[in-house]
Each structure stands twice: as C-alpha cells, then as structure tokens.
Amino acid sequence: MIRATLKSLAARKLRLAMSAFAIVLGVAFVVGSYVFTDTIDKTFEDIFGGLSSDVVVRPELPVEADFVSGFNPGTTTTIPAELVDRIAELPGVERADGEIENQSMFVLDTDGEPVTSQGAPGIAVNWHDGPSADGSQVLELIDGRVPEGEGEVALDDRTFDEAGYAIGDTVRFVSTGDTPQVSAELVGVMRFGESGSLAGASLSVFDTQTAQELFLDGENAYTRVAVTTTDDADTEQVRDEIAGILPDGFESITGAEVDEETATAIEEGLSFFNTFLLVFAAIALFVGVFLILNTFSILVAQRSQEMALLRALGAERRQVTRSVLVEAFIVGIVGSTVGLALGIGVAQLLKVVFGAFGLELGEGLVVQARTVLVGYVVGVLVTMIAAFVPARRAARVPPVAAMRDDVVLPESSRHTRTGFGSALVLVGAAAMLIGLFADVGRAALIVGVGILAVFVGVAMLAPIISVPVIRVLAGWYPSVFGTVGRLARENALRNPRRTAATASALMIGMALVAAISIIGASANESVDRALDDGVRAELVVSNAVGQPFSPAIATAAAQVDGVAQTVSVRAAPGLVNGETTYLQAFDPEAFDQAAKLDIVSGSGDIDDGGVLVSEETAEAEGLGVGDSVQLTLPSLDEPVEIVGVYAESPLLFGGYITSQRTLENGGVPPVDSLVYIVLEDGADVSAVQDELNEVTADIPTVTVQDQQEYKQQSRDQVNQLLFLVYALLGLAVLIAVLGIVNTLALSVMERTREVGLLRAVGMSRRQLRTTVRLESVAIAVLGAVLGIALGLVFGVALQQAVADEGLDILAVPGGRLAVFVVLAAVVGVLAAVWPARRAAKLDILRAITTE
C-alpha cells in the first residue's frame, strides 16, 4: 500500500502541488509572524537589555515604560548630585555615574524635517564612560570627539547618516521643554550597543552640564545613577546597601533585574502585534482547509476505481484511509518546508517595509527552533485534518459501487452535514443576539464566537444554498451565451458540494473584507460626527510624529491676534486601583468651550485633585460619584475622589480625566498632546491659521489644522489601518483564487472524455474556453455574494457590539461592496485562464479515449 500510495502521489504532482500551495501560504504567514516579532523582540533586547550597569538607582516608577510605542513621558523626580557622591563612597562600589535621559529631543535633518519615525522617541542623554554590567561600553565613539562643553552634541551613527550633517555643522532640535527650538555643534558620532539599532529612535549625547540645563532647569541632579561594583563585591549586597541610604521615592535594582523587567515589558508590548499577525495566519489556514478538502475530495472521487481495485485485492478500509492520509502527510511536509522558507522571506519583506517607515531592526532575522516546529506542526496538522474527511469517505465506498463511473457519495453524510451546519448557524446566531442585547460581560467576545460558529455553519450548508443562488446568478447565461452559457451553468450545478467548497474559501475572505469595510466606514462616520458635533474650536494643534510637545507652543499661540482661548490636553500613563491606564488632563470648563464634554452625573470640578470617570468604566468597575480610587503616578500614590461621570466620545480616550496640576504634582513632565484653539467672534480662520503656522514654522513636528483638515487626518489614520487589514486579508483571497484555479483544473481533468466529445461534435476552442470562464465567474460571484451577505450581518453585529465605546454610527459602504462583487467576477475570469487554455489544448482523439 505504501508503494502504491507513493506511485499515485508521483503521478499527480501538479494537482497536489496546487493543494500544497495553500499550506505554503498559510505556514509562510505563521512563520513570518513569529520570525518578525522575534526579530523585533531581539532588537529591543539589544537596545534595552544587557546594557545596564551592575546596579541602577532610579525614582520608583509604578508605571512601566511603553518600549514599543515610545510613549513614556517619564518623571520630573530627580536624584540630587550629593546622593550620587554618597553612593560612590559605599563599600563595594567602584564608581557611580549620574545619568540624565530625556525622550523628547527630536533631531531635525538638514532639510528641517524630524529624523525619527512616527511614534519613535528622540532620546537625549549625558555623556559618561561608565561600563555596563559586562564591562562593555554602552556608547562607543567612532568619529570626532565626545561633547565637552556648552553647545556641543554627538549623534548616534544611524541618525548621523540620515540627517545629512557633517562634524562641525550646527544640529537643530525640537524639544518638549520651555525652549522648543535648540541647536548645538556636532562634535562626534557614536555607536549605541553592539548592533547600533535604536528601532527608529534618535540618540543625542550632550555633556552633563548642558543636559542639566536643557532637561532639569539647571538643577545639579540626575534622572538615575549607574553604579559599577568592584570585582570582588556581591552585586545584590551592594544593591541592598545602597537601598539603605536612599530616601523615600527611590529604589536600587540590579542590572539583571532591569534587563528582566525590560524583557517582560517588551514581550507584553509585542503580544498584541504578534496576535494580530497570527489571526490573519489562522484565517489563511482556515481558507486553505477548504482548498485542501476540495482537492482531496476530487482526487479521491477520480481515483475511486483505483481504490476499488485495491479493496478487491484485499486492502482494508483503514489501509485505504491511511493511503490518502500518507499523501496528505507528504503534501503537508513539502508545503511546510516551502512555507518555512517563504515565511522567512515574508519576515524580511516586513522588515524592509517597517524600515522604510523608520522602524529599523537588527542586522539579521531571528529564526527560533520553536518557529520551525510550529510551522511543521501547523502545516502537517491542517493538511491531515482537511484530508481526513475525503479519506474516510473513500474507505466507505463499496468496491462494486466505486468501480462505476457515476459514483454517488452516501446520503447520510449530506444529511449529517446539513443538520450539523444548521445547528451551528442557530447556536452562532443565538450567541450574537446574546452578546448584542443581553446584559453580559465580554459582549464583543461572545459576538465574535457567534460569528465564527455562523461562518462554519454556513460553509457546511453551502452545497444546499449554492444551488438556488447559482440558478439566479447564472440564470441569464443561456439567453446571452446560448448553449455555451447553459453548459457553464449546468457544470457549476453538477456537483454542488465541490462548487460550494470552492466558493466557501472566497466567501470567508469576502465576508471578512465586507465586515472590516463596515467597521472602517462606521469608525470614520463616528469620528466625523464626533468632530462635527463635539469640536467647537476652529483650529487644532497636534504633533506630526505622535509625541507630546512643549507647552510653550500653547503659550505662544495664545498671543496671536484673533485667538480667544487655547485649551491644552495632556496624557500620561498611570495606575488606577493597581491597573495601568492612560489619564487625560485638562480643565473641563475650558475644554467644554473647545470641545463637547458631556457630564452625565456629578460635576467637572477637578481642581482640588478629583477625577472624572467615563460611563463605561464606571459601569464596568462599579464606580460612581463620591467613590474613591487609588491613583498612582511617579511621585504620587493616594486615594482621589470621583467627582463626575462623563459620556463616552471618540474625542476622549482612556477611562479617567484629571487636572494638569495633579499630573505635575505626580511627577509627570508638563507636555501637551493636543491644543484646541478657540477664536474670537468674527476672526478670520485662515488668517489666524497662517499666523499660527508662522509661529510654529521652526517646529516642523507640530501641525496647525482647521476642523476639516483635522477630520481628514483622523480619517486617514482609520483608513491606514483599514488598508493594512485589507492587505493581510488579501492573502486569504489569494488562497481562495487558487482554490478556484485548482478546482477548475481538476474538473477539466475529470471531464477529459466529456471535453473531447464536445470538441468532436463541433464546439470550438474559443467556446470551450468561454464555458470554463463562465463557470469560474459563477463560482467566484457565488462566493462574493455569500461572503458580502455574511459580512453585512457580521459588520453590523460588531458595530452594535462596540457602539458604546464610541463607534456609535453605522455606515454601510454600498459602493465599495458592489465593487467587491465586480472584482470577484474579474477574479473568476482570471482564475479560469490556465484551466481554460488547458482544456482547449486537449487532443480530441486522446480525450475521447481517456478512461
């Protein structure tokens, strides 16, 4: 049996190769996801891990830095120079170096544009030559000299290359400090760590006194201390001795603990991104199952006489089943191997794409043994599962029945499939209704599970649904194309199970595309409505690189003629009752002049240290006006009273609003995320905007936009994510297209004699190609229609499930969905090109005599 199986496999290399291609794409995406995220992980570990000194002294930070997004405003708490001197005198301490770090000093290139990518920090530090825990230098001078006095700076080598400066040039910076524009003479170039990668961030190095002037208002202090122990000292003992002399609010921690803490933060930060990519890999594999299932079903049907002969020669049912599964195993191994190689290529492509946006990763890709193992397990397992049903079906066909040309599959399987599919649809629909209308937790998750159940159920019912739908979709074929059209329609109806399985792959991709389109359109519509109804300010100042900016900009804007009021909005991470959240800070009374703030209970008086909580957060946490929550910031840890509850709005993120004074008292640097500009009555918006542009001309990271421009920016952000999702879903659609090609090609092979007879009685090659194309179009449009119908239901359900979170306007992009149907028809034509040409080239006499 093994020998017969291998010979059979060798005889059908092309057919099985097309089936394996689905596995190749699915595995490639899984492997690419793991390799890419592992490479990012390694890059950040190189940046933040292993570069710490033996012991680190720092202010206690209850909120971990967000290494992935770079949004970490830090703290205004400093370490006095006297404390650094005391630490240096302790036993076991070889040296103690005061360090200063700021993450909002952005380098401008020679054209005046920021060097850093979207969201990446502009890191600035003071120079010292203290070693890391392993004895290596964190910063290595590779050209020029180190900065030694006021007005001097060194840049990391990658920023130096991108900015276009030469040593001796004047480098311009944009800062979040009281002086937004800073300049310094470039005196050196340094390499950071072994790889030199900063993942899109820039690094500027100043001498200590200059760094204190720029970032600490001239205070003789530091933001942390790097402690180097003597060779014979116990690091943990030194750590404990240092802790004994530290005042409240500071901590000492070993370099190893810092590295472990950093690695954990990186892993948590990347988990969402990795999951995001793997979801699309799972979708690709799910679609691939339909292609493999269809392929093996056709192959088993075509080989029914061969299997009957094996049964007549004494082969048992389980041997027949095993032979099909052996073929599937080999296909899975081959597909996984190719997919593994392609996945590494996908990761390299992602690396190049992200590098183009500024996120430069390490030199090489990281391929772990776990990634290889997962690739093979996923590929082989999916293939074996998809082939199991056809294998079992082949074993159940009696030898005598299988020897006939018109093999009929057992009806019981069809009845079972129908019953099970109907049950899944009902259960899924019930779950969706419960998630939408019942008062339950995790409503969106329940809706998602219901959607998945409906997906599988409709796929199982597709053979029944497809018949009437194709009769409608292809009903006009005979009247337009005559006999050719009638033949194409009947071919599509001949085997509903096969047609439905082929269309189901495209149905899944189209359903997801349609649902995402509805969510995207609803998000845009909701944001537009929120901006139209909620933003009263005529102009908005924001940062083009996704980082906070200096409050001096709001101060300067307030002096412009025609400006009645400026309302700054700040944001910072903090802990509320021990849970990390992002706090917004502004004056509610002033904010209500610039944008709508709907207080549904209590008041907006937060000047005395109170907080506002959103309706959704209040309901989820069981909070109300008068309750207290524990607010923790870098230098604040105390209960604060909830003084009001506000209504959800896309303009407000996070669950809590506090005053800017509370953030400053908590040690959060005073930097703005957004500034609303309210104009005086009768002021010319364009004239004021032009004057504000002049005020901010030397700060290219800041943009001044009117309401329409700000609305378009918000729309662009949604659309950017939408197009990314479309690109990832394109993989599933590609697999579905290959499924149509595969099915048509196998169908042509199966009907070789029929094709020969049609040609013999006068059908031209052109007519034959048209028949195959029309059949392909019918299958593709069937998949698109079913998918878009499901996508409409799913999109509306998802929008309703998250309506309370700001996505409150339902928008159905009818024109876009209609375009998807037209594109599906085009896909059908393209998918039929190769099978149609293959059919037309068949030799008539050989085709007629085919057994």
Side-chain angles (χ1 to χ4, degrees), residues 9-83:
L9 186 64
R12 297 172 175 83
K13 292 186 290 290
L14 178 61
R15 307 180 194 183
L16 294 175
M18 294 183 67
S19 175
F21 197 60
I23 291 299
V24 168
L25 292 177
V27 170
F29 215 79
V30 172
V31 170
S33 300
Y34 275 117
V35 171
F36 184 61
T37 52
D38 287 343
T39 302
I40 295 178
D41 192 6
K42 179 64 165 57
T43 298
F44 281 105
E45 283 183 2
D46 288 344
I47 294 173
F48 297 105
L51 298 177
S52 301
S53 58
D54 295 320
V55 178
V56 175
V57 178
R58 65 187 185 185
E60 286 184 315
L61 295 177
V63 184
E64 301 295 345
D66 188 341
F67 292 109
V68 177
S69 71
F71 179 62
N72 176 37
T75 175
T76 56
T77 305
T78 58
I79 301 173
E82 298 81 16
L83 184 58

Side-chain angles (χ1 to χ4, degrees), residues 127-194:
W127 163 252
H128 71 81
D129 58 358
S132 62
D134 63 3
S136 63
Q137 287 291 322
V138 177
L139 292 173
E140 177 189 357
L141 184 69
I142 60 176
D143 195 7
R145 61 177 176 84
V146 299
E148 297 173 344
E150 184 179 357
E152 296 182 345
V153 69
L155 299 178
D156 71 278
D157 53 343
R158 297 199 178 196
T159 301
F160 173 77
D161 292 338
E162 292 180 20
Y165 291 111
I167 290 180
D169 289 348
T170 298
V171 181
R172 293 173 54 210
F173 301 87
V174 172
S175 168
T176 59
D178 292 336
T179 306
Q181 301 103 357
V182 177
S183 61
E185 180 187 355
L186 180 63
V187 297
V189 180
M190 296 186 172
R191 186 172 183 83
F192 177 82
E194 184 178 346

Side-chain angles (χ1 to χ4, degrees), residues 350-654:
L350 287 172
K351 183 180 175 183
V352 171
V353 171
F354 275 68
F357 286 97
L359 180 60
E360 295 185 8
L361 304 180
E363 298 297 332
L365 296 174
V366 178
V367 183
Q368 297 186 11
R370 173 259 291 155
T371 302
V372 177
L373 180 62
V374 168
Y376 276 105
V377 169
V378 167
V380 174
L381 192 61
V382 166
T383 309
M384 297 285 283
I385 290 174
F388 180 73
V389 174
R392 292 279 292 172
R393 190 181 301 142
R396 288 202 305 268
V397 178
V400 175
M403 289 180 183
R404 303 197 327 246
D405 289 334
D406 54 338
V407 179
V408 180
L409 295 174
E411 287 295 322
S412 58
S413 65
R414 187 173 303 171
H415 295 323
T416 302
R417 182 189 185 102
T418 301
F420 194 58
S422 300
L424 277 176
V425 170
L426 292 175
V427 170
M432 290 170 62
L433 292 173
I434 291 172
L436 289 174
F437 301 109
D439 186 12
V440 294
R442 296 179 174 264
L445 177 62
I446 294 174
V447 170
V449 172
I451 287 174
L452 179 61
V454 172
F455 246 142
V456 178
V458 170
M460 296 183 73
L461 293 174
I464 299 172
I465 302 173
S466 64
V467 174
V469 175
I470 285 183
R471 289 194 185 280
V472 173
L473 294 177
W476 55 277
Y477 277 9
S479 59
V480 176
F481 298 100
T483 303
V484 170
R486 184 178 297 106
L487 186 60
R489 184 188 63 185
E490 295 307 316
N491 283 342
L493 291 169
R494 177 183 297 184
N495 192 328
R497 183 191 297 271
R498 180 189 306 171
T499 299
T502 306
S504 292
L506 188 58
M507 175 192 76
I508 295 168
M510 283 296 184
L512 293 172
V513 168
I516 294 299
S517 296
I518 292 172
I519 294 298
S522 298
N524 278 327
E525 195 68 27
S526 298
V527 171
D528 283 354
R529 179 73 61 84
L531 294 177
D532 289 338
D533 297 343
V535 177
R536 302 184 177 102
E538 289 83 0
L539 298 170
V540 180
V541 180
S542 60
N543 195 322
V545 295
Q547 291 283 342
F549 50 89
S550 172
I553 295 172
T555 303
Q559 308 304 316
V560 173
D561 291 338
V563 174
Q565 188 176 26
T566 60
V567 182
S568 67
V569 178
R570 298 176 183 175
L575 296 183
V576 176
N577 289 340
E579 297 291 330
T580 301
T581 185
Y582 278 96
L583 300 159
Q584 282 188 289
F586 50 76
D587 178 356
E589 184 177 348
F591 185 88
D592 196 49
Q593 301 300 312
K596 184 178 180 182
L597 176 64
D598 187 6
I599 305 294
V600 296
S601 64
S603 71
D605 185 8
I606 56 177
D607 289 339
D608 294 331
V611 296
L612 304 178
V613 61
S614 68
E615 278 187 297
E616 181 184 354
T617 303
E619 182 178 351
E621 302 294 332
L623 300 173
V625 175
D627 292 338
S628 292
V629 293
Q630 189 73 17
L631 176 62
T632 308
L633 293 168
S635 57
L636 178 73
D637 187 11
E638 61 184 34
V640 295
E641 182 183 355
I642 295 175
V643 298
V645 178
Y646 66 91
E648 302 289 337
S649 168
L651 300 177
L652 303 170
F653 63 86

